[in-house]
Amino acid sequence: MVATDHGLGFRPLYQQAIDLVRRKIADGEWPAGSVLPAETRLAQDFGVSVGTVRKALQHLVDERLVERRQGVGTFVAQVTAERSLFRFFKLMDRSGARVMPDNREIGRAVGPASAEERSKLDLRARSRVIRVDRLRLVAGNPVMTDQVVLPCARFPGLDRQSTALPTTLYDYFEARFGVKVLRVAEALSAIEADDQSAETLGVAVGTPLLQIDRTTYSFDDVPVEWRLSRLRTDEIRYLSELG
């Protein structure tokens, strides 16, 4: 039941309705691909108006967490490779077309999380992480390096997996581990290629690169991935979308 007290310290009713829908999805009560109850039923269950439910669902549609199908109903969105590419992968060529580079895994290690990794992923002392180094290529040419850091506890068994991770990860996280990505936060900075980046990307030391520091969040703003990428920008652009 949603609280109906509008006093100080209470979130707006539509925000509380959003939280309830997210929680039911996170708990698996409404799995990916399932249809949500009708708006009138949700309004009754949550103790709010149909208008409040409609506003909450529209917010979740905008987040791409649910999707409306005309004449059918509202469904929990399924993260596919195509949807993951559109929402989270932001590389473009000079023409402005989205680019999905080939992926080559070049290193993997498992060990205790560093202080920075614990901070980024909100981990306790002695937590273990998986570090996966990947090289992205377009037409056979290296364009970006990734180091993906994942908490072992969140992805059980991945530390023993010998096969390479797929190119798009968020659909894989959901299908294999039940980890549904809600949002990402990124910090972009201009850096110069160090010795290792220069060798891996085939550029001169000191070449300008774009560094993308990404933290990926599941429900309740729980961080599930930290990714540090370094991108050549001579042929590839990084798309930033607002609103």
Side-chain angles (χ1 to χ4, degrees):
M1 177 72 69
V2 173
T4 56
D5 189 337
H6 293 278
L8 185 64
F10 282 79
R11 288 159 60 79
L13 290 180
Y14 85 93
Q15 287 285 356
Q16 296 182 53
I18 289 170
D19 292 343
L20 286 172
V21 174
R22 284 176 176 165
R23 174 50 53 199
K24 289 178 179 292
I25 295 173
D27 290 345
E29 183 176 341
W30 296 339
S34 65
V35 62
L36 271 61
E39 291 178 354
T40 51
R41 174 61 183 274
L42 290 176
Q44 181 180 0
D45 289 348
F46 294 170
V48 298
S49 69
V50 171
T52 296
V53 167
R54 191 165 295 138
K55 182 176 181 180
L57 291 181
Q58 184 57 53
H59 180 93
L60 295 168
V61 167
D62 293 342
E63 282 189 344
R64 298 189 178 91
L65 188 60
V66 302
E67 55 187 23
R68 288 196 173 104
R69 300 178 191 173
Q70 190 66 34
V72 180
T74 303
F75 290 76
V76 180
Q78 292 178 294
V79 179
T80 63
E82 181 179 0
R83 186 185 295 271
S84 183
L85 169 63
F86 176 79
R87 185 178 179 191
F88 297 114
F89 213 80
K90 305 179 181 181
L91 301 190
M92 304 187 308
D93 61 21
R94 287 186 176 274
S95 73
R98 291 286 181 98
V99 174
M100 174 54 74
D102 295 326
N103 176 63
R104 181 187 302 165
E105 191 167 309
I106 57 177
R108 184 183 297 204
V110 179
S114 68
E116 185 174 20
E117 290 165 342
R118 292 197 304 271
S119 175
K120 291 285 187 178
L121 294 169
D122 194 20
L123 299 176
R124 295 179 179 179
R126 296 187 294 278
S127 294
R128 293 174 64 80
V129 296
I130 307 150
R131 304 179 190 93
V132 181
D133 291 304
R134 313 200 302 172
L135 178 63
R136 302 302 187 104
L137 304 100
V138 173
N141 298 314
V143 297
M144 186 168 73
T145 63
D146 284 332
Q147 182 174 76
V148 178
V149 182
L150 304 169
C152 289
R154 178 69 62 171
F155 300 94
L158 187 59
D159 56 335
R160 300 185 298 275
Q161 178 177 306
S162 58
T163 56
L165 295 179
T167 297
T168 57
L169 293 182
Y170 300 153
D171 54 318
Y172 173 70
F173 290 169
E174 182 173 324
R176 170 82 185 276
F177 302 100
V179 174
K180 192 174 185 70
V181 170
L182 184 63
R183 69 180 183 91
V184 300
E186 294 182 330
L188 308 182
S189 56
I191 64 169
E192 294 183 349
D194 57 17
D195 290 343
Q196 182 175 351
S197 296
E199 180 178 0
T200 304
L201 291 172
V203 297
V205 172
T207 298
L209 301 175
L210 179 66
Q211 179 168 279
I212 305 126
D213 187 326
R214 170 185 287 194
T215 305
T216 303
Y217 295 87
S218 183
F219 291 89
D220 296 334
D221 265 359
V222 175
V224 296
E225 176 206 44
W226 177 38
R227 184 183 306 199
L228 196 63
S229 305
R230 293 177 175 179
L231 173 69
R232 291 177 54 175
T233 57
D234 48 350
E235 295 293 337
I236 300 296
R237 301 291 183 264
Y238 195 77
L239 173 67
S240 177
E241 294 178 307
L242 302 175

